[in-house]
Structures are given as structure tokens and as C-alpha cells.
Amino acid sequence: MELLMASGIAVLSGSGIYLLLRPRTFDTILGLTLLSYAVNLFIFSMGRLVVGRAPIVEAGGSGYADPLPQALVLTAIVISFAMTALLLVLAVRAKAASGSDDVDGGEPPAGGRPR
């Protein structure tokens, strides 16, 4: 289970970093989203991977799952959703203003509006 989780985090991180280095805005937004997924999985796995344990300590219970990473991941999901929505709005607005979706403000496509 740990190897599968570590491999998933590594694939998401590698894909996210690769997409962040691409020159297009949509690729950059997708890379940030994949990196946030990788961070969420990492935080979740820091609370130990246990199956079938209660998230609350019960009287006489043999063990419990740590609820703190679960709460952190839940909060991170909400924040990453809001961040992705904001970046999409900014990317659409930047494309409308410049006629190009290059991150560094490259040339507009053929037949596009001049700057």
C-alpha cells in the first residue's frame, strides 16, 4: 500500500512539474492542479495509512486514525478549487486581452489580434 501511494504521489508530482514548465496557460493551471493533488495525497499519507479504524478515540478502543491530516486535506481541497477557478478566470481574461495563451506573452496566433 505504501509503495502504491508513494508511486502515485511521484507520478502526480512529476506530471505537475512537467506541465508547469510548459509555455501555455492551460498547461500551467493543470500542472498546479496535479501538484495540489500530490500534496493532498502526501498530507493524507502522513497520518499513517490505516484501514477500518475510527477517526475518533473511543473508550477502550485499540487504535484510531489521525483526524488532523483528514481535516487538512479537506481544507486544502477547498482552497485548491478556489485557486483553480481564479486562475482559469485570469487565463481567459489574459487570452481575451492579448490574443495569445502564452505564459510569457508570446506572439498571437496567425490571424489573431495585434497587440
Side-chain angles (χ1 to χ4, degrees):
M1 181 74 169
E2 288 85 9
L3 181 62
L4 180 65
M5 189 66 111
S7 299
I9 292 170
V11 167
L12 284 173
S13 298
S15 301
I17 290 172
Y18 172 75
L19 287 172
L20 270 177
L21 297 175
R22 304 284 298 170
R24 304 285 182 201
T25 55
F26 183 72
D27 294 343
T28 303
I29 293 169
L30 194 59
L32 280 173
T33 304
L34 288 179
L35 271 178
S36 71
Y37 291 159
V39 168
N40 288 343
L41 281 177
F42 180 72
I43 292 172
F44 193 68
S45 66
M46 292 307 294
R48 287 178 278 142
L49 300 173
V50 293
V51 178
R53 300 257 174 114
I56 301 171
V57 179
E58 297 174 348
S62 62
Y64 63 95
D66 189 9
L68 182 63
Q70 296 172 11
L72 288 174
V73 167
L74 209 62
T75 305
I77 288 170
V78 173
I79 291 170
S80 67
F81 179 74
M83 181 193 66
T84 303
L86 175 69
L87 287 176
L88 282 173
V89 168
L90 289 175
V92 168
R93 181 67 183 134
K95 178 156 174 48
S98 69
S100 173
D101 65 342
D102 280 341
V103 173
D104 54 354
E107 295 297 320
R113 294 186 309 187
R115 290 193 205 182

